[in-house]
Amino acid sequence: MIFENFRYNRQIQMPEIGEIGQKRISKASVVSVGAGGVKSPLLYYLVAAGVGKIKIIDFDKIELSNLNRQILYTTDDIGKYKAKVAADRLRHLNPEIQIIDSEEKVTPQNIDSLLSNYDIVLEGGDGPEQRLMVNKYCVDNNIPMVHVSAQYGYVLTMLNAKVDPCLQCAFPDLAESRRGPVAVWGIGTGIAGVMGANEVLKIILKKGNLARGYLLCASSFSNDYYRIPIPKLSDCPTCGKVE
């Protein structure tokens, strides 16, 4: 095998990718709602892999307490907008792709203008209501969505809203259960983020198994990987009536 020194050499050599797969990656577009702990490694690997267009949406600013897990940022970045710093840093990693940053907060009024025309949505938000809003938008428009948790270390993929359970199927009480600061282990955040990046790239490549219909979970301290089945609820207020 002759080694050629170009950016995607090692992954193109993989039979699952090859030159055709790399072209798919370069033509794909992903929008991320949030640029925090999980999204830091997730976005880093998507950019490194060469995803052609990535939009980063986050209205929040970097704080000292973020730095145990949000590895896109440094102490010098405290007080700056996450989306802008993340985009600038990732452009240095890969200037060959298009990276867009937005410091807007996703609302019912602007969600379509912020998320439309992207192949995959990385679900996120500043709270449960915003997460459920993004989830509903993806269900209503049948857009593939990847949900990743920093708190518990898992990933859930909704590829087709007609057959796959959505975020509200997985967490019917999300609005009540996800409020306030939560304990977050930085390493677990990194593992979850890499799992999420893996899901996104498999969606783009149309290869491999996806975490559809179950939470794919990783436990950092017990070294366990396991699946928790998530049924599609017929009475789910978000996706139960999708036809």
Side-chain angles (χ1 to χ4, degrees):
M1 183 177 295
I2 299 173
F3 176 77
E4 297 180 65
N5 186 25
F6 63 95
R7 186 179 295 271
Y8 309 115
N9 168 271
R10 298 303 181 94
Q11 63 195 50
I12 286 178
Q13 293 178 16
M14 295 178 61
E16 296 87 350
I17 300 178
E19 293 186 4
I20 293 175
Q22 190 60 48
K23 288 179 181 178
R24 285 181 179 171
I25 293 172
S26 68
K27 292 179 180 179
S29 61
V30 176
V31 56
S32 175
V33 182
V38 163
K39 303 295 173 49
S40 286
L42 202 166
L43 289 168
Y44 209 93
Y45 276 103
L46 295 186
V47 170
V51 173
K53 182 179 179 182
I54 296 177
K55 186 174 188 176
I56 304 169
I57 305 169
D58 201 315
F59 68 93
D60 205 2
K61 294 182 178 180
I62 300 157
E63 300 176 350
L64 179 62
S65 63
N66 299 150
L67 301 183
N68 80 310
R69 64 199 182 281
Q70 300 185 17
I71 60 171
L72 276 175
Y73 314 117
T74 70
T75 304
D76 292 338
D77 297 322
I78 291 173
K80 300 176 183 177
Y81 281 105
K82 292 180 183 179
K84 186 177 187 312
V85 173
D88 287 345
R89 194 140 290 144
L90 292 169
R91 289 186 190 108
H92 279 87
L93 171 63
N94 191 345
E96 298 176 3
I97 67 174
Q98 182 181 7
I99 302 176
I100 303 165
D101 61 280
S102 171
E103 288 73 47
E104 292 187 70
K105 181 174 183 177
V106 179
T107 67
Q109 291 72 37
N110 67 14
I111 189 168
D112 188 62
S113 64
L114 289 175
L115 303 189
S116 63
N117 299 317
Y118 284 86
D119 299 326
I120 302 168
V121 172
L122 300 177
E123 177 275 326
D126 192 49
E129 290 84 7
Q130 198 176 27
R131 288 181 175 273
L132 290 174
M133 177 177 59
V134 172
N135 175 67
K136 186 176 188 307
Y137 180 83
C138 292
V139 168
D140 291 346
N141 293 277
N142 201 21
I143 303 173
M145 182 188 80
V146 175
H147 164 70
V148 188
S149 169
Q151 186 178 6
Y152 300 111
Y154 60 73
V155 61
L156 172 70
T157 293
M158 184 183 70
L159 187 64
N160 185 335
K162 295 180 180 180
V163 297
D164 294 336
C166 74
L167 179 63
Q168 197 159 17
C169 290
F171 302 101
D173 64 342
L174 182 70
E176 287 72 34
S177 64
R178 298 293 183 89
R179 296 189 184 278
V182 296
V184 182
W185 174 236
I187 301 299
T189 299
I191 293 171
V194 171
M195 290 165 61
N198 194 41
E199 290 289 292
V200 171
L201 291 170
K202 286 186 293 183
I203 293 172
I204 294 169
L205 293 167
K206 300 180 180 180
K207 296 284 183 71
N209 296 321
L210 297 169
R212 302 172 65 187
Y214 60 87
L215 299 180
L216 178 60
C217 307
S219 175
S220 302
F221 284 92
S222 63
N223 279 349
D224 287 332
Y225 286 81
Y226 53 94
R227 300 179 181 185
I228 300 177
I230 302 296
K232 185 174 179 64
L233 303 179
S234 59
D235 60 347
C236 174
T238 300
C239 74
K241 303 300 181 183
V242 174
E243 297 180 356

